[in-house]
Amino acid sequence: MKHWIHFPRVEGDTSRQAAADAPPILFAAGTKNSYCPTACLKTTEKGIKMELHGYFRSSASYRVRIGLNLKGLQYDYTPVNLLQGEQRGDTYRKLNPQGLVPALVDGRTVLTQSLAILEWLDEQYPEPPLLPGDPLKRAKVRALAYSVACDIQPVQNLRVLQYLQSEYAISDKQKIHWIQHWIHEGFTALEKQLDPAPFAGGDKPGLFECCLIPQIYSAQRFGMDISEYPAIHRIMNACSDIAAFVDARPENQPDSTL
């Protein structure tokens, strides 16, 4: 297993020695910014080290990376190369019989499905929360997150696209049109449901943003202009400078080919 270690910055001292003396924080990538709230210090004291199996460009893996970073939780990262089919190998299927990423290992427990993982993280490590305290607001944020994770993203999943190309011989142009169509349908509906608050749950990012930002990345990758969706564009800009999101970007992961 490979470990990627990120040393947090020390306020008021940028020397190499100060950085070396600071306690290490494990993230999914060699990161540009440190992110270490109180929750991170608590988990470090407990000696908790989880292991995330994922792929740098997987939307579901990306969601969990953001959630772990928002929580300030330390973890080891094990890449699973989807293009080489490692997710279908016997070794990985022992962790996740579905052959999908991500899988989060915590001791002897293996958690799968990105939203289940994020909600477990929120219950196990409640600060900072990914969901609002009010039950109605929680339901609304969940609905928005599920719209992305359950409706928009699955139809552009790698295995779906590979099936369309192998069974129906669609061209690359048709594949891109397929992706853009379903993202546009979903984003158009989301636009009508988003409030003017900075984030879906209020003044801090949470479960919905964990799902939305990876979907925005996918949309941009396939040539879509996010400015056509003003509310989504606003949330994208609000997240762009938050270290937890920056650190989770595909290009900042150790298995990135970008």
Side-chain angles (χ1 to χ4, degrees), residues 140-141 143-145 147-148 186-202 208-209 212 216 229-236:
K140 289 182 176 180
V141 170
L144 293 170
S147 293
V148 175
F187 278 10
T188 299
L190 283 176
E191 279 291 303
K192 299 174 182 178
Q193 300 174 74
L194 291 170
D195 295 327
F199 304 103
F208 173 63
E209 288 73 27
L212 179 65
I216 289 173
Y229 313 96
I232 291 172
H233 191 256
R234 184 191 71 245
I235 293 174
M236 179 188 76

Side-chain angles (χ1 to χ4, degrees), residues 9 14 35 52 55 72 75 83 85 88 91 94 112 117 135 141 158 160 163 176 187 189 210 226 234 244:
R9 297 172 185 167
T14 57
Y35 184 78
L52 177 65
Y55 181 62
Y75 62 95
L83 296 183
R88 295 189 293 273
T91 300
K94 288 179 181 178
T112 61
I117 293 172
V141 170
L158 177 62
V160 172
Y163 185 83
I176 292 172
F187 278 10
C210 288
I226 304 303
R234 184 191 71 245

Side-chain angles (χ1 to χ4, degrees), residues 6-11 25 27 31-37 69 241-244 246-247:
H6 172 61
F7 289 93
R9 297 172 185 167
V10 178
E11 285 296 327
I25 308 302
F27 282 104
T31 58
K32 296 181 180 179
N33 298 292
S34 64
Y35 184 78
C36 186
N69 290 350
D241 292 326
I242 298 174
V246 175
D247 292 344

